[in-house]
Amino acid sequence: MIRVLSAVLTMLVMQTCYGQLTETHSIYFDLNQHRFEKSEGVALNAFFDDLLYKPILDVKIFGYCDDRGSYDYNLKLSNKRVETVSKWLQQHKIALDHITKTIEGRGEVALLTDSEDSISSERAQNRRVDVVFYLKQEIANQLAVKKLNKEELSTKELKVIDRYEKEVVDAVFKKKSIASIELPEIEESNESLSEDEYLVIPTKIDPPIDNSQEPFKSLLSKKLKKGQIIRLENILFKKGRSTILAESQPLLDRVAEILNARKDIKFEIHGHVCCINPVYKDAYNRDTKKSNLSEDRARAVFKILRSRGIDHKRMKFMGFGRTKPLGGIDKLDRRVELLITEIDETRQ
């Protein structure tokens, strides 16, 4: 247990040292195996593709085993798992001198419960490698975009990030200052809509959502139509899980406020995923250990909206796996949408 606490403290200290620009991904292995399954590789690819500044990232790799096997066996297996991931990173343009390896999986990861099902689940969670991507503090402090994950970028940032990222990476390689590099300006659209076309629904969220404009303005439109799809932008989930990120909760609370005021509409909640083998109907959910990730994410939104006072008779939820790709980059397919199924004009 002392070793476990030590490992946790090490992670916390490391996270603090490297500040805001840090992202972590876990890769899971089958029993006694040091090569990960194709599904884990697909998830790692998707995660890696969304990272910014890949050529100048530093990486820490932590290898773990479950509590079975001898100390020496677990040490050897953990090391092999770390080496597997290290080689993958090197094949994806991460230089070896940017990689730090730590072996934590000697079988000392404590089991928290006694039931057979829980023990099996915990052991599966412990057969993993944690990969932490980060930018060194001296670089991170100078960046205009204080993020590593493209999924977290604003619409404005997404439009110019490729050019900005290239300038940052070039400056680092040439050992030049990046303090003066700013996001390029974006031409604002001249198209304007009359505010009379939208409902005004005040927010009671405290603190209010930090947006320059209403994040779900299309949901406020007086011209909302049956069959219209509303993207729930920036309502994000933990990787491979149906748990909504804490920073997305205020946005979902705002959706609930609007839907509570707009009792004229009924809707379906649609979950979508990306990057899965076509032979699978849905992605693997690490929370449930089942291949139902898109459905569970839609269900998670359903439950939260219901807890915020939305009548369950007004809404349904369903998952579509990757059957409805948008045709663009993969990350856009990891989404939750509202499909407007009915509009009661007598309530408008």
Side-chain angles (χ1 to χ4, degrees):
M1 182 60 72
I2 291 175
R3 289 177 178 173
V4 175
L5 291 175
S6 175
V8 172
L9 287 173
T10 299
M11 286 292 289
L12 290 175
V13 170
M14 186 277 297
Q15 293 278 1
T16 302
C17 290
Y18 294 106
Q20 294 179 335
L21 297 188
T22 304
E23 291 286 348
T24 302
H25 181 76
S26 296
I27 303 157
Y28 295 87
F29 296 78
D30 287 338
L31 180 64
N32 296 329
Q33 299 300 311
H34 67 276
R35 299 190 184 280
F36 49 78
E37 291 290 331
K38 184 177 180 179
S39 58
E40 291 293 323
V42 170
L44 179 57
N45 267 313
F47 179 86
F48 190 77
D49 287 346
D50 274 340
L51 291 183
L52 293 164
Y53 322 114
K54 287 186 280 288
I56 56 175
L57 289 178
D58 285 280
V59 184
K60 283 187 179 288
I61 309 175
F62 295 84
Y64 299 88
C65 279
D66 62 29
D67 61 304
R68 290 176 289 188
S70 68
Y71 176 93
D72 290 338
Y73 177 84
N74 285 342
L75 184 62
K76 183 177 180 180
L77 181 57
S78 295
N79 186 65
K80 286 183 176 180
R81 288 172 175 171
V82 166
E83 289 302 324
T84 295
V85 175
S86 176
K87 289 178 181 178
W88 186 96
L89 291 170
Q90 291 171 59
Q91 292 168 357
H92 289 75
K93 312 296 185 187
I94 299 292
L96 184 59
D97 58 0
H98 283 240
I99 298 173
T100 303
K101 306 169 188 177
T102 303
I103 308 301
E104 298 287 353
R106 305 181 182 95
E108 76 276 14
V109 181
L111 297 175
L112 303 177
T113 59
D114 295 327
S115 75
E116 187 173 338
D117 289 342
S118 296
I119 288 176
S120 176
S121 176
E122 285 188 53
R123 282 173 170 161
Q125 292 291 311
N126 291 339
R127 296 192 293 269
R128 74 182 195 278
V129 166
D130 291 336
V131 189
V132 183
F133 300 87
Y134 61 90
L135 284 172
K136 290 181 178 177
Q137 190 71 55
E138 58 267 27
I139 297 175
N141 286 342
Q142 300 180 63
L143 292 176
V145 179
K146 299 293 184 182
K147 295 160 187 165
L148 266 182
N149 194 329
K150 286 186 179 180
E151 282 191 335
E152 299 174 358
L153 295 178
S154 67
T155 302
K156 177 179 179 180
E157 290 167 342
L158 279 172
K159 290 181 179 178
V160 298
I161 194 59
D162 289 341
R163 174 181 164 188
Y164 173 80
E165 182 183 4
K166 184 178 185 301
E167 291 183 11
V168 168
V169 172
D170 287 347
V172 171
F173 280 142
K174 294 175 182 178
K175 298 184 178 180
K176 295 181 178 180
S177 172
I178 59 176
S180 61
I181 301 176
E182 299 290 342
L183 285 175
E185 291 296 323
I186 302 175
E187 289 186 21
E188 299 294 339
S189 173
N190 292 324
E191 183 180 351
S192 60
L193 296 174
S194 169
E195 290 301 317
D196 292 338
E197 297 179 7
Y198 297 95
L199 299 172
V200 177
I201 300 176
T203 183
K204 295 181 180 179
I205 298 172
D206 185 23
I209 297 172
D210 184 19
N211 287 79
S212 58
Q213 59 183 3
E214 169 62 52
F216 304 108
K217 197 163 186 177
S218 57
L219 198 54
L220 295 172
S221 174
K222 294 179 181 178
K223 297 182 179 181
L224 193 64
K225 297 179 180 179
K226 179 179 178 180
Q228 189 168 336
I229 293 176
I230 309 295
R231 287 277 308 278
L232 299 186
E233 298 281 359
N234 295 318
I235 292 182
L236 307 174
F237 299 79
K238 291 184 178 180
K239 293 284 184 178
R241 302 179 186 277
S242 53
T243 304
I244 296 172
L245 295 180
E247 54 265 37
S248 294
Q249 191 58 61
L251 291 169
L252 195 51
D253 288 341
R254 178 55 180 160
V255 172
E257 279 186 331
I258 297 172
L259 292 173
N260 267 314
R262 292 214 64 167
K263 299 188 185 300
D264 58 311
I265 62 176
K266 293 183 179 180
F267 56 93
E268 293 176 354
I269 304 164
H270 292 180
H272 305 270
V273 296
C274 82
C275 317
I276 59 174
N277 190 310
V279 302
Y280 299 110
K281 293 183 178 180
D282 208 338
Y284 181 73
N285 185 348
R286 290 176 179 151
D287 288 325
T288 64
K289 307 295 186 301
K290 297 178 181 179
S291 295
N292 63 348
L293 185 57
S294 68
E295 180 180 349
D296 272 355
R297 285 180 170 176
R299 180 187 288 107
V301 173
F302 176 92
K303 288 181 177 179
I304 290 176
L305 292 179
R306 187 172 182 181
S307 72
R308 299 296 188 273
I310 310 298
D311 188 344
H312 70 279
K313 295 179 181 179
R314 293 176 53 198
M315 54 182 178
K316 298 179 180 178
F317 67 87
M318 58 191 70
F320 288 88
R322 202 187 183 185
T323 61
K324 295 188 176 183
L326 296 176
I329 58 178
D330 282 338
K331 82 179 192 66
L332 297 180
D333 289 335
R334 297 196 292 270
R335 67 195 192 276
V336 175
E337 301 171 333
L338 302 184
L339 171 67
I340 307 303
T341 58
E342 186 177 328
I343 298 179
D344 185 354
E345 296 182 0
T346 62
R347 287 179 172 267
Q348 291 182 332

